[in-house]
Amino acid sequence: MKKWLFNPFVFIASWQALGFGLLLMAVTCVIAFFSKTHFDGVIDIHFGTSFPFWMAVFEQFNIWIISIILFYTTGLILSKSKIRLINIAGTLALARAPMLVPAIIGFAPILHRLPTANNLAGIALWSLALVLFSIWMIALMYNAFTISCNLKGSKAIVGFIISIILAEIISKVIVQQVYHHFLSK
Amino acid sequence: MQKKLPHVCPSCSSALNVQSLICSNCETIVSGNFSLPLLAQFTPEEQTFIIDFVKSSGSLKVMAQKLDLSYPSVRNLLDDLIVKIEANEKTTDSK
């Protein structure tokens, strides 16, 4: 059970993982649109203003594609094994599955009035839930990376940290540019 | 009861060699100092993997279905075996 929760990629990868992953990402897009939940970075979640549905789709796929590019490149540099793009794409898509829950949590009204909310216990509880699901997603991403690229030890850890930081920065810059050019008017 | 063939010294973890072999038909004993064949130096699980790989005609896809593992997991097992084989070959060449 523990293996299925944190490293399902031992059993499922490639096209199967891609299929399930894209399905869950699509559901997350729809829920995020209605709950006004933004995924503007690989490990970022924000709650706030409304946005068009295409932006919800763009945010999900921006994160996913930037992650694929960064982790695939890092895998090619660090790994001695042959790496298949479909394995990286599929496992990283499925790794985003936990983000479905934060999208649902986005319906909580308190998260949309944080600057003025005074229910500290409520804010703390929701924040804890968000952090836990984010940690779960990061664990899945790490296992997706190590299984798809056959990396272990310090190479895996350093490669993952560098890739996820770069993916976070690049995905945020892209989303910011899209907002600025298409939604700021 | 199936016995496991030891290939690593329990005292100093060096590779074990074969000192004598016996013919089960005529009970002739052959003594010497023989290195274990490369394949005998693997764990039983690794030997089973290699045999299954050959029987599946080298198809990782078939192996993944047989072992109920994902394709990259099986690929990684194979790559780890390749590294082990190359390390063994280097050790043998250096002797």
Side-chain angles (χ1 to χ4, degrees):
Chain A
M1 180 67 178
K2 197 175 157 188
K3 201 134 198 177
W4 268 103
L5 269 182
F6 291 101
N7 199 1
F9 315 113
V10 172
F11 310 108
I12 175 173
S14 306
W15 293 103
Q16 249 191 329
L18 183 69
F20 283 122
L22 288 179
L23 179 65
L24 288 166
M25 279 170 62
V27 173
T28 304
C29 286
V30 173
I31 295 174
F33 169 69
F34 287 108
S35 66
K36 297 179 190 140
T37 305
H38 293 263
F39 296 97
D40 57 341
V42 172
I43 50 176
D44 256 38
I45 309 165
H46 297 280
F47 306 98
T49 53
S50 318
F51 49 95
F53 181 68
W54 66 262
M55 195 61 198
V57 176
F58 177 80
E59 282 183 351
Q60 281 293 312
F61 282 87
N62 173 51
I63 295 163
W64 178 53
I65 288 167
I66 297 298
S67 302
I68 292 169
I69 294 170
L70 267 303
F71 285 114
Y72 184 63
T73 307
T74 306
L76 286 175
I77 294 168
L78 294 178
S79 178
K80 291 177 186 169
S81 297
K82 191 178 169 189
I83 301 167
R84 298 195 317 168
L85 188 61
I86 182 61
N87 290 338
I88 299 244
T91 52
L92 283 177
L94 192 55
R96 292 208 60 82
M99 289 296 102
L100 178 63
V101 178
I104 296 170
I105 288 175
F107 284 113
I110 194 170
L111 295 171
H112 295 271
R113 40 170 222 270
L114 281 172
T116 55
N118 54 12
N119 181 356
L120 290 179
I123 292 168
L125 227 70
W126 286 123
S127 300
L128 179 64
L130 291 169
V131 166
L132 287 175
F133 280 96
S134 296
I135 290 170
W136 183 16
M137 183 193 67
I138 292 169
L140 285 173
M141 287 178 76
Y142 176 76
N143 287 324
F145 174 59
T146 54
I147 290 267
S148 300
C149 301
N150 195 16
L151 286 168
K152 298 177 185 69
S154 54
K155 262 190 190 177
I157 295 168
V158 171
F160 179 75
I161 290 171
I162 292 172
S163 301
I164 202 167
I165 289 173
L166 285 175
E168 171 73 6
I169 294 168
I170 294 169
S171 59
K172 281 188 93 76
V173 166
I174 291 173
V175 164
Q176 192 273 337
Q177 289 297 305
V178 169
Y179 265 101
H180 177 70
H181 288 291
F182 296 101
L183 295 175
S184 59
K185 293 142 194 164
Chain B
M1 183 185 81
Q2 192 160 7
K3 293 181 192 174
K4 289 181 193 173
L5 176 70
H7 55 91
V8 171
C9 175
S11 176
C12 68
S13 303
S14 298
L16 290 172
N17 284 357
V18 176
Q19 193 183 45
S20 70
L21 294 153
I22 184 167
C23 172
S24 55
N25 187 46
C26 66
E27 294 182 17
T28 301
I29 296 173
V30 178
S31 290
N33 189 1
F34 310 99
S35 302
L36 275 172
L38 179 63
L39 288 177
Q41 294 175 38
F42 289 116
T43 64
E45 293 77 24
E46 288 168 340
Q47 289 176 12
T48 305
F49 181 90
I50 292 167
I51 290 166
D52 286 342
F53 187 63
V54 171
K55 281 161 75 176
S56 68
S57 305
S59 166
L60 287 174
K61 193 177 164 187
V62 171
M63 285 291 288
Q65 284 167 359
K66 187 183 163 70
L67 297 172
D68 257 331
L69 294 174
S70 64
Y71 181 96
S73 296
V74 177
R75 177 83 228 185
N76 294 346
L77 286 171
L78 179 65
D79 286 343
D80 291 345
L81 273 173
I82 291 170
V83 168
K84 199 168 176 180
I85 289 170
E86 287 171 350
N88 280 346
E89 283 176 341
K90 268 191 191 155
T91 311
T92 310
D93 288 343
S94 64
K95 282 180 187 170

